[in-house]
Amino acid sequence: MTPLTATAGLPPGPSRLPDLVLIGVTMIWGFTFLVVQHALQWAGPFSFVSLRFGVAGLIALLLSWRELHGLTRRELLTGALVGSVLFGSYSLQTLGLQLIPSSKSAFLTGLYVPLVPLFQLLLFRHRPRLAAWLGIIVAFGGLVLLSDPRGLQFNFGAGEWLTVAGAAMIALEISLVGRFAGQCHPRRVAVVQLLTVSLLALWAGN
């Protein structure tokens, strides 16, 4: 029996694509802090957030317009709620990024990682498993190393507190998504969520 015939009946191995996508998204996420800090030299924080999410919302709308015909009241309210929290998180983070270095902003924003299970426990009585806590510790430790903590000075001012508040809002947003994701169509909620952020930022900037 050749190796080819011996393995012909076996199921394919696990795909590495999800892992590669997560790594790619993480790299892009880290790079955006520096990009946003430079972009804020030419645009106000709310104008930038409105444009950023407006473009994303329009793209999502074009890709998902057929699914929107079945938009339910629950999905509309869920998208508006999550979008409002997301608006708060990105606005606070962007305001803070005007006052502190991008490396410190990235580190403080990463505090949402240990905050998510705390929000899930307090709001929905969802107790994380031991493996989840271990993953949180490893992720937070990696974040500390990537942020070069030797150059971080923890004398908290307005920029730091704004960024920490933004991180807490991100943790709340993730907790809400986890709570309602299984009850709604993801594309419809995503469109409402993105457009809600853009409209609220446009209103706040005027």
Side-chain angles (χ1 to χ4, degrees), residues 3-165:
L4 180 61
T5 57
T7 59
L10 297 177
S15 174
R16 296 297 182 185
L17 181 60
D19 297 329
L20 294 175
V21 170
L22 285 174
I23 293 173
V25 169
T26 303
M27 294 174 63
I28 294 173
W29 177 80
F31 183 67
T32 58
F33 285 89
L34 186 60
V35 173
V36 171
Q37 192 165 52
H38 284 289
L40 289 174
Q41 298 176 9
W42 293 277
F46 293 110
S47 299
F48 181 79
V49 171
S50 178
L51 179 62
R52 183 180 185 181
F53 280 88
V55 172
L58 291 176
I59 294 175
L61 182 63
L62 291 174
L63 295 176
S64 308
W65 65 272
R66 291 184 178 179
E67 286 89 345
L68 290 179
H69 293 294
L71 182 67
T72 65
R73 185 172 180 270
R74 173 186 287 272
E75 291 168 344
L76 181 63
L77 293 176
T78 300
L81 173 62
V82 175
S84 299
V85 176
L86 193 61
F87 159 72
S89 66
Y90 272 86
S91 297
L92 291 168
Q93 182 195 84
T94 306
L95 287 169
L97 197 53
Q98 293 183 303
L99 304 172
I100 60 177
S102 57
S103 58
K104 181 180 285 189
S105 177
F107 175 78
L108 293 176
T109 299
L111 292 175
Y112 79 85
V113 175
L115 288 177
V116 168
L118 294 179
F119 273 83
Q120 291 179 335
L121 179 62
L122 293 173
L123 295 176
F124 308 119
R125 297 294 187 270
H126 177 71
R127 189 180 301 275
R129 297 180 180 178
L130 178 60
W133 284 112
L134 293 176
I136 290 167
I137 294 172
V138 172
F140 187 71
L143 181 68
V144 172
L145 296 176
L146 289 173
S147 300
D148 189 13
R150 294 171 299 175
L152 296 178
Q153 298 178 358
F154 292 97
N155 48 336
F156 267 50
E160 286 82 1
W161 286 117
L162 286 169
T163 307
V164 170

